[in-house]
Every structure is written in structure tokens, then in C-alpha cells.
Amino acid sequence: MIDIEWPFATHMDFRGQKMAERLFQVIIVFFGLIGFLVGYMMQQFSMTIYSVLFGVLVSAFLTIPPWPIYRNNPVEWQKPIDSKKDANGNKNNSSNKSTPKDTRKAKPKKDQ
Amino acid sequence: MHSFLSRLNTLFAFTISVLAALTLGVFISTYFEQYHGTVSISANKPIVKHMTDFSANRKKNDLGVLQLDMDMNLNPLFDWNVKQLFLYLTAEYVTPSNSLNQVVLWDKIIQRGENAQLNMRDVATKYYFWDDGDHLRSNNVTLTLAWNIISNAGRLLHVRADGSSSFIFPDEYVTSRGKNSGRE
């Protein structure tokens, strides 16, 4: 699989991926059915194809760029375990604060 | 779905699957269509010549020469699964040596969008009407039109049109020194 390093972040979290996939499937099937009916009415198969291609454009706009709605459930990474700090026990991150917010702040580059 | 290209790939593959399903739907929606039509054809001024057929054996064979009049309206045949029609006109007759002879005299391709209502007068045959021998004089010949439906998705259909006409060739040859009636 070709993996290109884009200058911007392109990831989505898992919930977001599921949402995106379901969304474009529904959109394309919807436009496909509409196009089928329109094509049958007009007896022009080209209308069906144009309708599907339009659906693809709409889906592409909605699901390919990593919009923020697809990043609402980020993966909860475990805290990093450092054997040296175990002895000291004075890292803030190993306290009882809510972890999701902290780990997000720990990776500032990937956030929009 | 974790990266840009992966999403693009999934979207593309799904689109192709949907298009394939829609094409199958188009095929099913026109599966039982018969594509019949009525035409009216007639032959004008049929004559028979006796000449050497240089494309076949070097003997002298009969050559039929005639003009065609054709009227047909094939616009109703173009539904959303028809890409083009291939029409061809056949002359059928019986000779002592062959129980059935069929000679194609004219054909035409009509694509979707072109005018499919043809009213043609005094059209020369596109192909030569050579007989395999010399049995065209006084022969009763039937002209029939048939077409092939070329679909967007589906089978290649062959349909015979309703409406054929017959004519009889004269019983004497026309020599080429006489008046040239219609031979191009």
C-alpha cells in the first residue's frame, strides 16, 4: 500500500471511519436509486450515470477530507510507562486526571 | 479508511460496484422487450443483366439491378438500453440449384440520437445483386428488412421487421448497350 506523507493530517479515528464509510455508502446508493428512476423515466441511461457521479462528488467532499466530526472519538492511548519515573513518581500525567484530554495535549502536532 | 488514499480507494471501488448493479438493473428492465416494427419497402424498375462476375468465378452470372423505396419509423425502438440499430435488407428467392438464396442489398447503422424515421425514394442498392448462376429472370424475389439491436448492456438481438414485399424480375436480359436504367 502506497503511503504518502501529506503535509497535513489525514487520519480519522475509528468511529469516524465507520461514520464516513456508512455515509458515503448511503449517499452513493441513494443517488444511484434516484438516477435509476430518473433514467427510466427519461429512457436515458446517461442520466443514471450522471446522477451516480454527482453522488460520488458529494460523498467525496463529505468523507475524504478529515473533517473534525470524524475526530470526536480519539483512540485512548495508554500512558507511557517510564521505568525511571516509577521510582520518582512525580510525573503529572500519572496522576488521576482524566486521561483523554491529557493525551490529546501530548500530541499537539496532529490536532487541527 | 485511515488515510486519504485508502478512503479514495474504498470510495472508488464502491462506486464501481454500484454502477455494475445499476447496469444489471438496466439489462433486467429491458429483458422482455421485443423491438418489433413495421416497415414498407418496394422495389422500382427491376432489371436483369447478364455479365461476367469478376469477383467470383469468371463465368457470366445474372446481375439484378433495382431501386428501393423505404418507409419506416424506428424511433419507438430506442429505449434506454439501445445503443444503435443495424438494419439490413435481404432479397430472398428460390432457384433450381439452391432452395433458398439470400442476398443483402442494403444496410444502415442508426445510432441513438440520430433520426430513425427513414423515407427513402429510389435508392440504389448498396451491394450488387449477383445470382449464383443465371436464374434471376422471371424469378419471384421477396425483400425483407431485419435489424440487430445493439444494447448498452445485454444480448445482441435479431428482429425481423413486419412488412415485406415481393417483385418479379422481367424475363429478358437488358444489354448494357441499351438505355442504362439506374446502374450507377
Side-chain angles (χ1 to χ4, degrees):
Chain A
M1 179 66 196
I2 301 176
D3 259 329
I4 303 183
E5 281 295 319
W6 301 96
F8 43 85
T10 61
H11 72 283
M12 288 177 182
D13 55 53
F14 293 125
R15 279 272 177 81
Q17 290 176 24
K18 181 174 176 174
M19 207 179 5
E21 183 154 353
R22 179 68 29 168
L23 186 67
F24 80 66
Q25 284 173 351
V26 165
I27 289 180
I28 292 185
V29 169
F30 174 72
F31 276 99
L33 287 174
I34 298 281
F36 192 80
L37 289 172
V38 169
Y40 189 76
M41 293 295 156
M42 297 176 55
Q43 286 292 311
Q44 282 249 33
F45 190 47
S46 46
M47 285 297 130
T48 308
I49 302 285
Y50 293 149
S51 170
V52 172
L53 290 180
F54 180 68
V56 169
L57 239 77
V58 169
S59 305
F61 177 72
L62 287 179
T63 66
I64 292 190
W67 301 116
I69 42 168
Y70 300 127
R71 291 183 177 169
N72 282 336
N73 300 84
V75 176
E76 293 184 8
W77 298 107
Q78 289 192 352
K79 304 179 289 285
I81 296 178
D82 202 342
S83 51
K84 280 195 206 156
K85 303 295 173 12
D86 246 351
N88 294 341
N90 59 356
K91 285 298 279 191
N92 284 343
N93 284 346
S94 54
S95 67
N96 298 343
K97 285 201 189 141
S98 57
T99 37
K101 279 208 187 304
D102 281 341
T103 47
R104 244 205 299 195
K105 280 184 193 148
K107 299 183 284 183
K109 262 195 282 188
K110 285 201 176 170
D111 259 0
Q112 289 267 333
Chain B
M1 297 293 290
H2 51 84
S3 73
F4 196 61
L5 286 178
S6 155
R7 289 193 285 273
L8 208 58
N9 181 34
T10 315
L11 187 66
F12 176 68
F14 187 71
T15 306
I16 298 291
S17 302
V18 167
L19 285 175
L22 288 175
T23 309
L24 184 70
V26 170
F27 166 61
I28 292 176
S29 73
T30 57
Y31 185 75
F32 295 107
E33 184 69 42
Q34 298 283 340
Y35 301 107
H36 283 321
T38 313
V39 303
S40 101
I41 332 162
S42 61
N44 292 341
K45 299 187 288 231
I47 57 170
V48 186
K49 297 190 178 187
H50 194 62
M51 340 196 28
T52 317
D53 183 4
F54 290 102
S55 61
N57 50 13
R58 290 301 187 99
K59 300 193 204 125
K60 280 200 162 194
N61 286 336
D62 276 3
L63 176 72
V65 181
L66 61 146
Q67 275 77 47
L68 304 162
D69 282 355
M70 286 183 280
D71 285 296
M72 61 189 89
N73 183 11
L74 302 175
N75 279 318
L77 257 56
F78 280 97
D79 60 11
W80 65 334
N81 200 16
V82 173
K83 183 171 173 261
Q84 62 189 32
L85 295 180
F86 176 70
L87 314 167
Y88 59 99
L89 182 79
T90 318
E92 296 175 348
Y93 59 100
V94 179
T95 57
S97 46
N98 305 319
S99 61
L100 177 64
N101 298 278
Q102 287 175 321
V103 183
V104 175
L105 297 181
W106 173 90
D107 55 31
K108 185 171 175 59
I109 293 179
I110 304 182
Q111 293 189 351
R112 186 193 183 78
E114 285 176 9
N115 176 33
Q117 175 153 10
L118 306 177
N119 300 96
M120 302 169 35
R121 296 279 169 273
D122 273 342
V123 171
T125 58
K126 217 172 173 186
Y127 307 110
Y128 288 125
F129 191 160
W130 283 111
D131 180 37
D132 177 25
D134 56 357
H135 304 291
L136 275 191
R137 286 166 295 170
S138 320
N139 203 325
N140 189 357
V141 177
T142 310
L143 291 175
T144 58
L145 189 74
W147 48 75
N148 278 122
I149 305 282
I150 292 146
S151 309
N152 281 324
R155 311 154 292 172
L156 183 69
L157 289 172
H158 175 261
V159 177
R160 259 197 134 157
D162 307 318
S164 57
S165 82
S166 310
F167 65 93
I168 302 183
F169 273 117
D171 28 318
E172 279 182 8
Y173 286 137
V174 165
T175 56
S176 33
R177 252 180 246 142
K179 208 160 59 144
N180 202 354
S181 52
R183 178 73 202 269
E184 292 233 303

